[in-house]
């Protein structure tokens, strides 16, 4: 069996696993009658990263990496701080420790594994252009509109209503702050991918 086919089989297997985790996340939200949860970026990222691996579309994987990289760094920092100290840092991962079932905890822990998996997928498939950030920007915009129109502020999906970190931002300027933050985070992740040459078939020419 050739090296190329082994790589393809591995990516397909990993992609199906991630798509399955995404579907389980959506199913769990529906089963708990938590339909607002269908619009978490993390659920979409699981499925789309998996789809990108199955289809060998690195731009799909990179688009999700660009959205989740910085938020997941905050999430992971908060999570490991609690594990090491027993105290809450920012409070954004406290819900893990009160999760009702083991399956829910397993699905939540994808926050730790999603970034390495996405980078592995991008490395194996290779990027061909930098247009993936445009998909990221459109996805962020669409999700924000849907969340603000069709979900309740108490659930604060994707932190779209109030800041998830422990400092106050006026509701008047919060939408501007939210968009500015996400576009900066997408820019940071895109820049990182742009600069790391092992992720490219050839040197990227344009952002």
């Amino acid at each position: 069996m050739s090296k190329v086919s082994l790589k393809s089989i591995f990516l397909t297997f990993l992609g199906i696993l991630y798509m399955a985790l995404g579907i389980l996340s959506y199913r769990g939200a529906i089963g708990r009658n938590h339909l607002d949860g269908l619009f978490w970026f993390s659920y979409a990222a699981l499925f789309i990263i998996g789809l990108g691996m199955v289809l060998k579309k690195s731009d799909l994987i990179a688009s999700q990496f660009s959205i989740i990289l910085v938020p997941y760094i905050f999430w992971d920092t908060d999570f490991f701080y609690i594990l090491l100290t027993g105290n809450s840092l920012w409070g954004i991962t406290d819900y893990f420790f009160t999760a009702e079932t083991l399956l829910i905890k397993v699905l939540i822990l994808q926050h730790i594994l999603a970034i390495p998996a996405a980078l592995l997928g991008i490395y194996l498939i290779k990027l061909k252009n930098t247009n993936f950030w445009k998909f990221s920007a459109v996805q962020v915009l669409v999700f924000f509109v849907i969340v603000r129109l069709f979900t309740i502020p108490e659930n604060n999906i994707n932190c779209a209503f109030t800041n998830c970190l422990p400092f106050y931002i006026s509701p008047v300027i919060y939408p501007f702050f939210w968009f500015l933050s996400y576009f900066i985070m997408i820019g940071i992740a895109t820049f990182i991918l742009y600069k790391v040459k092992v992720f490219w078939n050839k040197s990227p020419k344009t952002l």
Side-chain angles (χ1 to χ4, degrees), residues 155-180:
N155 288 330
N156 200 27
I157 303 298
N158 301 322
C159 308
F161 291 94
T162 59
N163 187 20
C164 289
L165 294 175
F167 60 89
Y168 176 77
I169 300 174
S170 169
V172 176
I173 65 169
Y174 186 73
F176 171 77
F177 172 84
W178 190 93
F179 275 109
L180 179 63

Side-chain angles (χ1 to χ4, degrees), residues 41 63 66-67 134-146 158 178-179 182-183 186:
F41 284 136
S63 71
S66 297
I67 293 172
K134 298 175 183 178
F135 184 92
S136 305
V138 171
Q139 182 181 338
V140 162
L141 173 61
V142 170
F143 272 54
F144 180 83
V145 172
I146 292 173
N158 301 322
W178 190 93
F179 275 109
Y182 260 101
F183 288 138
I186 290 170

Side-chain angles (χ1 to χ4, degrees), residues 144-156:
F144 180 83
V145 172
I146 292 173
V147 167
R148 294 284 294 211
L149 289 178
F150 300 111
T151 71
I152 59 175
E154 288 77 9
N155 288 330
N156 200 27

Side-chain angles (χ1 to χ4, degrees), residues 23-40 43 107:
I23 292 169
L24 280 174
S25 298
Y26 284 123
R27 184 176 178 182
I30 294 170
R32 298 192 308 274
N33 198 29
H34 182 49
L35 298 184
D36 287 4
L38 296 175
F39 302 107
W40 281 111
Y43 292 1
L107 293 174

Side-chain angles (χ1 to χ4, degrees), residues 184-201:
I184 289 174
M185 291 189 291
I186 290 170
I188 290 171
T190 301
F191 182 77
I192 291 171
L193 291 178
Y194 182 83
K195 287 297 183 179
V196 181
K197 304 306 181 185
V198 296
F199 294 134
W200 294 86
N201 262 340

